[in-house]
């Protein structure tokens, strides 16, 4: 892979999404963190045929670059065909399904490119970039511009997206590029602490990093 420029990660994003296994779930947190990297779910979709149709519609969006409005047409057709009763408004629900799957697939594709050995050798530093949300999360803004070593454990929990609707991303940098930013060395990984989250199914109390939504503290 060339080390001077990274391509838009279409092939890698497609490969990431294609390897996902359909898993029926009742709630959005039935799968926890890393399980989302291998499983495809739509909360409340309990039948495999229904899930298969949703998976095919999302695959089309990723592979053909179709829009949210096109996915909404597919969503309406699938819901009608299966007689599925879902929670939430139609526009909100379709945006969550479409955006979550596309951003995670794109992010996974970019991760695959950036961890290519040749790329890592040339660009061993990763810069966290805020996605420009109109309603930014304070922690995400505080991380904007940070340059942390690519092999720092911080990325295992903070590689974006880091929540519902998060559009943050990562830019790989060479040492020369890092120094051009006025940095003589990479930044230390932030130590923002964590907060408790109670698993409603098991009652277990889990630690969720501050600034990250529950189930999102993992690297795709």
């Amino acid at each position: 892979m060339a080390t001077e420029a990274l391509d838009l990660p279409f092939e890698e994003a497609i490969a990431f999404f294609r390897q996902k296994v359909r898993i029926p779930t009742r709630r959005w947190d039935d799968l926890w963190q890393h399980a989302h990297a291998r499983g495809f779910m739509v909360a409340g979709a309990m039948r495999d045929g229904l899930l298969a149709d949703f998976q095919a519609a999302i695959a089309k969006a990723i592979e053909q670059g179709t829009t949210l409005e096109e996915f909404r047409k597919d969503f309406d057709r699938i819901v009608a065909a299966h007689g599925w009763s879902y929670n939430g408004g139609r526009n909100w629900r379709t945006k969550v399904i479409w955006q979550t799957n596309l951003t995670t697939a794109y992010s996974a594709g970019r991760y695959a490119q950036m961890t290519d050995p040749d790329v890592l050798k040339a660009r061993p530093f990763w810069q966290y970039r805020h996605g420009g949300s109109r309603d930014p999360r304070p922690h995400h803004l505080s991380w904007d511009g940070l340059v942390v070593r690519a092999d720092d454990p911080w990325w295992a929990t903070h590689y974006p997206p880091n929540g519902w609707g998060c559009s943050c991303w990562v830019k790989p940098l060479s040492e020369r590029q890092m120094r051009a930013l006025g940095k003589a060395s990479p930044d230390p990984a932030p130590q923002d602490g964590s907060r408790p989250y109670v698993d409603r199914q098991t009652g277990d109390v889990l630690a969720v990093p501050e600034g990250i939504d529950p189930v999102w503290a993992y690297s795709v």
Side-chain angles (χ1 to χ4, degrees), residues 1-3 5-17 19 38 103-121 123 126 150 159-160 170 172 219-220:
M1 176 181 294
T3 58
L6 294 179
D7 298 324
L8 291 176
F10 291 125
E11 291 184 6
E12 292 86 353
I14 291 169
F16 168 79
F17 189 76
Q19 57 83 41
R38 295 290 180 264
T103 55
T104 53
Y106 182 91
S107 185
R110 189 167 181 82
Y111 183 90
Q113 290 184 351
M114 294 193 305
T115 53
D116 176 274
D118 290 338
V119 175
L120 268 179
K121 184 177 179 180
R123 300 180 180 184
W126 288 357
Y159 184 86
V170 174
S219 170
V220 294

Side-chain angles (χ1 to χ4, degrees), residues 78-101:
I78 293 168
V79 167
H82 291 272
W84 187 48
S85 178
Y86 58 90
N87 294 327
R90 178 250 192 187
N91 285 355
W92 170 81
R93 194 69 195 274
T94 50
K95 184 176 181 179
V96 168
I97 296 171
W98 181 84
Q99 185 179 54
T100 299
N101 282 282

Side-chain angles (χ1 to χ4, degrees), residues 123-127 147-150 171-175 178 186:
R123 300 180 180 184
F125 309 105
W126 288 357
Q127 184 182 38
V147 177
V148 180
R149 287 195 61 88
K171 180 179 181 179
L173 301 175
S174 65
E175 183 172 354
M178 178 187 69

